[in-house]
Amino acid sequence: MTTTNKEKNFISAVIYLHNDGARAVTFLRQLTTVLDATFEQYELVAVDDACTDDTIPALRQWAKDLEKPLTVLHMSLHQGLELAMNAGLDAAIGDYVYEFDSCEAPYAMDLVVKAYRTALSGSDIVSVCPRHTKGSSRMFYRVFNANSNSAYQLRTDAFRLVSRRAINRVHASSENLPYRKAAYAASGLKMSDLEFDGRLTEHGEGRFNLAMDSLALYTDAGFRLSAGIAIVMMILALAELAYTLIVFCTGHPIEGWTTTMFVLTLGFAGLFAVLTIIIKYLSLLVDLTFKKQRYLIESIEKIQK
């Protein structure tokens, strides 16, 4: 009987694809080399977010010689990173799941194994993060972390490894995950970061809307902003009232039409700002409550030797 020192846990690797061309095959070849050397059992789940180039034909050709099967989820139409990756997570069956949001890999592949070792030491979510990030990303995470109730600080990451317990926990709290990373941070499970020297260069589509949705759902930023605006408006209104009473008591004619109009205009601006935030919350509640179909899959393809 032959013995092996490979890990016994079943591993899933979910990879997001959208017009990645030959880079997808290069990335998956590197990834499978590491997975083959480390794990006895694993699966690859590639999410085809309506690729229009040669990504999928190249993947089919490469996968013909694979020992392990490759599952390709073909989305009915381009639906973006979060919805597509939610579909991939639902299809994955591993005890631990790698989430690769991109085929960009400015990190050493041994970090894939290091993330797993870190998870075995007690972390349900392990993020592999670049030391250098864009200024806009740093600003977003600074605002997010300052207003979230999580004990862990979110940051830009290249990929992450999550346990089945973490996936079950976040799905138990919400059927829909508009921002997976924030949902993991809010789960209460232990998170760890691994760093590498490098920088991510890709710019994801729809990141601004995702950022706004995340701040509304997973932080108190919207409430604090609306409360702050309301307080400022109240102070201005009280100041205007005091000014009016002083003019009335001193018997001077009312002047300062410009000042009055400025305060009124500013007041209406604040009112509309608060209404905008309320409308944003209501739209999110409608989406999360009534839009039960979270993503659309056209077909599922199994490629194996």
Side-chain angles (χ1 to χ4, degrees), residues 34-222:
V34 174
L35 297 178
D36 276 329
T38 310
F39 303 104
E40 275 193 6
Q41 303 178 86
Y42 69 87
E43 65 170 349
L44 299 173
V45 180
V47 186
D48 164 26
D49 194 13
C51 293
T52 57
D53 65 352
D54 63 344
T55 299
I56 302 305
L59 205 61
R60 290 192 183 107
Q61 183 62 34
W62 168 76
K64 289 179 180 179
D65 298 325
L66 280 179
E67 293 295 330
K68 298 292 193 297
L70 167 66
T71 300
V72 182
L73 273 61
H74 300 288
M75 309 306 287
S76 300
L77 46 88
H78 180 60
Q79 297 175 59
L81 174 63
E82 293 299 323
L83 285 178
M85 288 298 286
N86 277 330
L89 287 174
D90 286 347
I93 61 173
D95 301 311
Y96 291 89
V97 181
Y98 286 97
E99 298 182 6
F100 295 95
D101 293 349
S102 168
C103 290
E104 182 184 12
Y107 47 84
M109 275 293 168
D110 63 350
L111 281 170
V112 173
V113 180
K114 289 182 179 179
Y116 176 74
R117 302 295 182 200
T118 304
L120 289 183
S121 68
S123 296
D124 283 279
I125 304 102
V126 181
S127 296
V128 177
C129 311
R131 285 194 175 91
H132 309 288
T133 57
K134 297 182 299 181
S136 57
S137 295
R138 290 196 299 271
M139 181 181 298
F140 165 73
Y141 286 115
R142 189 176 295 115
V143 173
F144 185 97
N145 293 324
N147 292 278
S148 73
N149 296 319
S150 172
Y152 300 99
Q153 301 288 293
L154 289 190
R155 54 189 295 190
T156 300
D157 58 4
F159 71 89
R160 71 196 64 86
L161 175 65
V162 294
S163 68
R164 177 56 54 183
R165 181 170 70 159
I167 294 173
N168 292 340
R169 175 76 63 86
V170 297
H171 277 99
S173 61
S174 175
E175 292 184 0
N176 196 4
L177 300 179
Y179 189 33
R180 289 164 293 129
K181 190 158 55 174
Y184 294 141
S187 68
L189 298 174
K190 184 178 179 180
M191 298 180 66
S192 297
D193 292 342
L194 298 177
E195 288 188 333
F196 64 91
D197 288 317
R199 180 189 297 270
L200 298 175
T201 60
E202 291 189 344
H203 304 278
E205 299 176 5
R207 306 307 287 179
F208 178 78
N209 288 334
L210 176 61
M212 294 300 100
D213 291 351
S214 304
L215 288 174
L217 282 171
Y218 296 105
T219 73
D220 296 328

Side-chain angles (χ1 to χ4, degrees), residues 28-38 42:
L28 283 167
R29 183 180 291 114
Q30 295 173 341
L31 178 61
T32 52
T33 298
V34 174
L35 297 178
D36 276 329
T38 310
Y42 69 87

Side-chain angles (χ1 to χ4, degrees), residues 223-260:
F223 170 75
R224 292 179 181 181
L225 179 60
S226 60
I229 293 173
I231 291 172
V232 170
M233 291 303 102
M234 182 178 65
I235 292 173
L236 288 174
L238 291 174
E240 177 65 14
L241 176 62
Y243 171 75
T244 303
L245 290 175
I246 291 172
V247 171
F248 177 79
C249 293
T250 57
H252 296 298
I254 298 177
E255 298 179 354
W257 178 86
T258 302
T259 303
T260 303

